[in-house]
Amino acid sequence: MNKIFFSGLFVLSALFCIGTAHAQAEQQLKTELQKKLGSNAKVRSVSPSPVAGLYEVLVGNDVFYSDSTGKYLIQGEIIELATGKNITEQRQADINRIKWADLTTANAIKTVRGNGSRQLAVFSDPNCGYCKRLDKSLQQLDNVTIYTYLIPILSADSALKSKQIWCSSDPYKTYIDWMVNGLTPSGKSDCTTPLDKNLAFAKSYGITGTPTLFFTDGSRFPGAVQIADIEKKFSSLK
C-alpha cells in the first residue's frame, strides 16, 4: 500500500515539475517576444500550439506563432489536413467572442421587427460608409431585435451626430433617417448619453472598426456583412 502511495506521489510531483517548467518556458518566451515587439504591440499570452515546437502567440486580438526561442514570429494559418479544420480561424473566432450578457442593452438604440425573436448587436459610427451600407441591408430582416451601439470613433462630427441621434425624441427614426435616407440629424446634443460607456466597452473588447456585429452566442462579424451570411448565422443558432 505504501509503495503504491509513494509511487503515485512521485508521479504527481513529476507532473507538477513538468507543468512548472512549461509555464516558466512560456513566460520566458512571452517576455522575449514582448521585448522584441516593443510597447506598440501587447503580447497577451503564449501557449503551445497543436504543432510540436510551435507556440501560439496572442498579440492583441490576433493569433501568431513562434518557435521556442522567439527568433521567428509567424503569421499564417494551421489547417488540420485529416479534417480540413482551420485551427487558426477557429481560435481567432474564439478569441473575438464575447458574452452576450456583457452587453448593456440600455446603452443601445433598440428596434424590434416581427416577433423580435432573433437578436443582433451592431456597433456603428454615424459617419461610417460601411455602416450605412449595412443598415440599408438590415432593413430586409424580419423577426429580429437589433441593438445599435453608437461609438463615434471616426471624427468629432461623429460624436456630434451620435449625440443628436441619441437626444432626439425617436433615436431609431433619426438614426435610420440619416444612415438610410440621408437626412442629417439636427436638434439638441446636450442630453445624457451612453457614448462614453459604449466607447469603453468597445476598447475593452478590441472593437476597433465599424460596423461590428455580435450574435447571441458571442460570435463577432466585422464589416458590412451580407444578409445571406447573417441569415445563415441565425439559422445555425436555432
Side-chain angles (χ1 to χ4, degrees):
M1 182 65 178
N2 285 341
K3 288 182 178 179
I4 295 174
F5 174 78
F6 284 114
S7 176
L9 191 62
F10 174 79
V11 171
L12 288 174
S13 178
L15 289 173
F16 176 78
C17 290
I18 292 172
T20 300
H22 285 169
Q24 290 174 343
E26 290 161 17
Q27 182 58 47
Q28 184 176 350
L29 178 56
K30 180 182 177 183
T31 301
E32 183 65 22
L33 287 169
Q34 187 64 74
K35 188 189 305 180
K36 291 178 177 178
L37 290 172
S39 59
N40 290 330
K42 175 65 175 177
V43 180
R44 289 173 52 189
S45 67
V46 171
S47 57
S49 80
V51 180
L54 202 63
Y55 287 83
E56 176 197 283
V57 181
L58 185 57
V59 181
N61 278 358
D62 296 317
V63 176
F64 297 89
Y65 300 98
S66 174
D67 65 305
S68 61
T69 66
K71 184 177 180 180
Y72 301 101
L73 189 66
I74 304 166
Q75 184 177 23
E77 298 178 335
I78 295 177
I79 297 174
E80 187 178 64
L81 292 179
T83 62
K85 179 182 178 182
N86 189 323
I87 293 173
T88 307
E89 185 179 77
Q90 183 60 58
R91 183 74 176 111
Q92 190 74 65
D94 291 341
I95 291 165
N96 287 329
R97 198 177 299 273
I98 67 167
K99 291 181 180 178
W100 181 263
D102 288 347
L103 292 166
T104 303
T105 56
N107 294 339
I109 298 171
K110 178 182 176 182
T111 184
V112 180
R113 297 200 199 101
N115 62 26
S117 58
R118 307 185 298 176
Q119 298 184 78
L120 179 67
V122 181
F123 283 76
S124 176
D125 182 302
N127 283 327
C128 163
Y130 288 106
C131 299
K132 292 177 181 179
R133 183 189 303 177
L134 175 66
D135 278 304
K136 288 178 182 177
S137 297
L138 292 179
Q139 302 304 302
Q140 303 172 42
L141 292 178
D142 197 12
N143 296 328
V144 65
T145 299
I146 301 175
Y147 298 96
T148 301
Y149 293 84
L150 296 175
I151 51 169
I153 59 176
L154 295 179
S155 67
D157 183 62
S158 295
L160 176 60
K161 283 190 173 73
S162 294
K163 290 175 182 178
Q164 289 174 322
I165 290 167
W166 186 265
C167 295
S168 68
S169 59
D170 188 339
Y172 178 70
K173 181 180 184 303
T174 305
Y175 177 76
I176 292 301
D177 277 348
W178 166 241
M179 300 298 279
V180 176
N181 302 318
L183 300 176
T184 306
S186 61
K188 65 178 184 178
S189 60
D190 57 351
C191 70
T192 301
T193 75
L195 299 181
D196 287 342
K197 293 178 181 178
N198 290 350
L199 287 168
F201 182 93
K203 183 178 180 180
S204 66
Y205 283 92
I207 303 170
T208 57
T210 54
T212 298
L213 292 74
F214 290 98
F215 294 83
T216 52
D217 66 346
S219 58
R220 175 188 315 218
F221 282 42
V225 184
Q226 298 294 316
I227 286 297
D229 293 327
I230 294 175
E231 290 285 8
K232 182 179 179 181
K233 180 61 183 180
F234 275 141
S235 296
S236 74
L237 297 175
K238 294 178 181 179

